Structure formats: C-alpha cells, structure tokens
Amino acid sequence: MELIKLGWNDTYTRENNDIELIHGRVTTQSGKHYGVIAQEGELKAILPNSYLNRINDKSEIPVVGDWVGLRKNPEVKTYLIDYLYKRKNKLSRKVSGAKSEEQIIASNIDVVFIVTSADADFNVRRLERYLAMVYEINAQPVIVLNKIDKIKNVESYRKETEGICQDIPIIAISATEGNNIDDVGKYIKSGKTVILIGSSGVGKSTLINQLLGYSRQAVGETRESDDKGRHITSTRELILLPNGGMIIDNPGIRELQLWSSGDGISELFKDIEDLSRFCKFKDCLHEKEPKCAVRKAVEEGKISTDRFMSYKKLLREQEYFQLRLNTYERRKKDKRLGKMYRKGDDIRRLKGKN
C-alpha cells in the first residue's frame, strides 16, 4: 500500500523522521485495540499504557483517521502505537450527557457528507447543527439528500435546504436504487478522506455499498411506525474505495451537541452577522434594541423567523457551553496541580526517611 494514497505527505515526514517507526493510518478502534493500514498492509495495534501515561489530555488518544507511528512488539505478533502525528483537523462534538468533554469523531478529513433523507428524518434545523459542526474545520461540506425514490417533489426538499446553505452542493440520490451515485463519487478522490454523518436510517451504509460496488456494510430497514432508522453501524471505520479515496462510515448521531469555538455558527449565519454590522449598537442582541438591522430584516421577510430563532438558540447554547467548558478546564487544571502537590509531598517524605 502506497502511503500517499492514504493521504501521507512530506509534512508528516518532517514532523518525525524516526526511521524505526512504521507509519500507518487508523482504520478502526475498539478500546485500546486498533486496526491500522500501513505500507506493510493491514496491521493490528495496541495503545500501550506507556503512551497513555505520557499524554496530558484525552484528545491525544488516536481516533479513526489519525496517522500514527508504530513499533513492533517483539514479544507478540502485534504492534504498539508510539506516536500520534499532528492532525490536519478533527470533527468533534460534545459527549452525550452532562459532562463538558470533547468527543473526537474522526480526523484528517477533506470532505464531509451530511446525509439526510426525504422522509420523517428531514429536519432543516438539525442540518444547521451539522453544518455548524463542519464549518469548525477546514473541510468541504456536501449535503446528500437520500431516498428520493420515496417522494414526488424533490425540488421542495432541495429548496428548503438551499434556504440555509445556498453555496453548498446538494446531491439528491436514492442509495437503494443507485440514482445519482456518480454525482456523489465525484467528491471522492485518491488520497482524500470523506466522512458520512447523519441520523440512523438515512442510508449511510447503503450509500457506501453503492460506492464500493458490493454489499460490505450491514444495513437495516426503517421502522414503519415512525420512519426512523435502527442502529446498524456501531463503530467507525475507514474504508478504502476502488478509486483510491477513503470513506469513514459513522454510527448515527442521536444527540448532536456542538463542541464549538463559535466560528462555525458565525459562518453558517454569515448573512445575519453581516447585517448586525448595521445595527445601531455594536453589542446589539437583536431583541428590543432600537434600530436593529437584523430584526428589521426579519420583520420584512428577508430572513425567516425560524432561521433567526435557530441562530439565537445556537448562540445561547454556545454561551452556555463556554461557561461549562471554562469550569471543566479549571477543575481539570486544579486536579493536575493537586497531583503535582501530592507528588511533591511524597518526594519530601521519601527524602525525610533517607
């Protein structure tokens, strides 16, 4: 396997020129056990405790899409992950639940297919959340509208989607029937990595099978009662495609809480943020302030009320997220300091005994 077809470039070579390291890319992860594809082929690797002991944060744990440096374990027929190469980008969300921790979905991504379907799953507000997440990284978003074989008016779905993202490609397909799959394939090129994100049952795995030309990924039917999909894909996996490109299959996302710096929201709602420059007050909240350009545009129908309310909601979530994150980071720093103090006390006690 030529590393360049996996996305390797000279930047990684300059970062670490240890000739004993075997360079590879993570294809699967299950706890400390990894699948890695390298020049030598598909390898099994383990994340050793020695690696975990020297990292400062969970974000340094390798994920699917990462480039890693391996060393051969002389005792058993496996490899040890010894080095994590700097990521080009990482697609992240907040972990489910109350914890303010980052969950890295995958890394080193070139194109993100946001897959939705022309059925009960279609939700413009959810698409906005996905787009805000993708805008946080330097990757090309593409919206894939699946299951067009089930509807009569495709253009109504396309028009509604264009209302939130006029400059983003929208591809209407039927993964089961194979309609317009070639239009999707145009975005998958040799050495480039694509990831699929979307809810369960929108047809991500079916689409991958179409791109591969055979049934590799398990697929399931949606429930007739509510048209929602069942979870079939349970783990992330980087898959090599016949044309040399790579695609990451991803489990359906049930709860999408943004892990955001705010840049993604600003980019997604650029029309609103551009208008805000014409508000009378620089810190205008677009509520009851006089001469608010944004609220005026909403009243005149230039910006839909739903889009404006979605913008405000995501801003409130972002503000709350930053407060929670600051608290989380402060507590994490306090824990590190506590460990340092305890180590210092241990050293002083040992010196006293000597």
Side-chain angles (χ1 to χ4, degrees):
M1 173 59 65
E2 295 180 33
L3 292 182
I4 194 170
K5 290 183 178 180
L6 300 175
W8 181 268
N9 57 56
D10 290 340
T11 304
Y12 299 118
T13 306
R14 291 192 294 269
E15 181 182 337
N16 190 330
N17 58 5
D18 186 339
I19 60 173
E20 294 184 359
L21 281 181
I22 298 172
H23 314 300
R25 197 161 183 203
V26 175
T27 56
T28 60
Q29 177 194 5
S30 178
K32 292 183 178 182
H33 298 270
Y34 288 76
V36 177
I37 187 164
Q39 194 166 357
E40 291 77 6
E42 296 183 9
L43 308 175
K44 292 181 180 180
I46 293 175
L47 192 67
N49 289 333
S50 58
Y51 179 95
L52 294 171
N53 291 336
R54 69 173 187 259
I55 64 175
N56 297 314
D57 195 87
K58 288 182 180 179
S59 64
E60 297 176 60
I61 295 175
V63 299
V64 171
D66 273 333
W67 280 98
V68 293
L70 308 174
R71 295 191 190 278
K72 183 68 182 294
N73 187 340
E75 298 178 1
V76 294
K77 293 182 179 180
T78 189
Y79 295 81
L80 301 178
I81 296 176
D82 186 70
Y83 186 81
L84 173 66
Y85 285 89
K86 185 178 179 181
R87 294 166 175 141
K88 178 172 65 176
N89 57 27
K90 56 179 180 176
L91 190 66
S92 300
R93 68 166 179 168
K94 178 189 164 299
V95 296
S96 299
K99 287 186 177 181
S100 296
E101 292 184 8
E102 178 185 18
Q103 179 190 13
I104 303 176
I105 296 173
S107 69
N108 300 317
I109 299 160
D110 298 292
V111 180
V112 181
F113 287 157
I114 303 171
V115 186
T116 185
S117 53
D119 55 19
D121 178 77
F122 185 80
N123 187 309
V124 171
R125 304 283 78 88
R126 191 190 303 126
L127 283 177
E128 285 178 337
R129 285 180 175 273
Y130 282 125
L131 284 168
M133 181 171 69
V134 176
Y135 277 137
E136 286 288 326
I137 66 175
N138 185 23
Q140 165 72 60
V142 177
I143 293 180
V144 179
L145 177 62
N146 190 22
K147 303 186 181 181
I148 61 171
D149 54 299
K150 294 187 175 184
I151 59 172
K152 294 180 180 179
N153 189 357
V154 178
E155 289 307 311
S156 63
Y157 284 90
R158 186 188 294 275
K159 186 175 181 180
E160 195 170 354
T161 305
E162 287 175 346
I164 62 169
C165 54
Q166 294 182 357
D167 299 327
I168 296 174
I170 302 169
I171 307 173
I173 70 166
S174 170
T176 54
E177 302 292 330
N179 298 339
N180 303 331
I181 300 299
D182 289 344
D183 293 337
V184 175
K186 292 176 183 177
Y187 290 90
I188 306 173
K189 300 177 182 179
S190 180
K192 301 297 181 182
T193 304
V194 175
I195 186 171
L196 302 177
I197 60 174
S199 305
S200 297
V202 295
K204 299 187 296 295
S205 295
T206 306
L207 174 56
I208 288 179
N209 289 339
Q210 285 284 0
L211 292 168
L212 286 169
Y214 64 94
S215 295
R216 183 185 191 279
Q217 303 300 93
V219 297
E221 296 296 326
T222 55
R223 295 191 297 261
E224 292 183 3
S225 59
D226 57 9
D227 218 16
K228 290 186 178 180
R230 299 182 178 90
H231 277 271
I232 298 297
T233 301
S234 58
T235 58
R236 294 175 187 88
E237 182 179 9
L238 185 146
I239 302 165
L240 301 183
L241 295 175
N243 69 347
M246 292 153 287
I247 196 161
I248 297 175
D249 196 7
N250 188 55
I253 299 176
R254 285 180 175 172
E255 182 182 351
L256 180 57
Q257 297 187 53
L258 299 180
W259 183 270
S260 167
S261 65
D263 293 342
I265 297 172
S266 296
E267 181 64 26
L268 176 62
F269 295 98
K270 192 173 184 298
D271 54 339
I272 295 177
E273 300 227 334
D274 285 346
L275 270 174
S276 67
R277 293 197 296 247
F278 297 96
C279 293
K280 181 178 180 180
F281 301 104
K282 290 183 178 180
D283 58 348
C284 184
L285 299 175
H286 318 308
E287 292 178 355
K288 295 181 179 180
E289 296 89 344
K291 295 184 179 180
C292 172
V294 173
R295 203 170 65 251
K296 181 181 178 182
V298 174
E299 292 169 355
E300 293 176 350
K302 295 177 181 178
I303 296 173
S304 74
T305 302
D306 287 343
R307 180 166 172 78
F308 175 65
M309 296 304 292
S310 178
Y311 171 66
K312 295 286 287 182
K313 182 179 180 181
L314 288 178
L315 282 183
R316 286 195 299 271
E317 287 185 19
Q318 171 64 20
E319 183 178 359
Y320 179 68
F321 163 77
Q322 287 297 336
L323 288 172
R324 291 288 303 274
L325 183 61
N326 291 340
T327 302
Y328 170 75
E329 292 294 338
R330 187 171 63 251
R331 288 176 179 172
K332 194 165 64 172
K333 183 178 179 181
D334 290 343
K335 284 182 180 179
R336 285 200 297 264
L337 287 172
K339 285 182 180 179
M340 289 174 60
Y341 292 145
R342 285 193 293 273
K343 283 184 179 179
D345 291 340
D346 291 341
I347 291 171
R348 282 189 289 274
R349 279 197 296 270
L350 288 171
K351 285 184 176 179
K353 288 179 180 180
N354 293 334

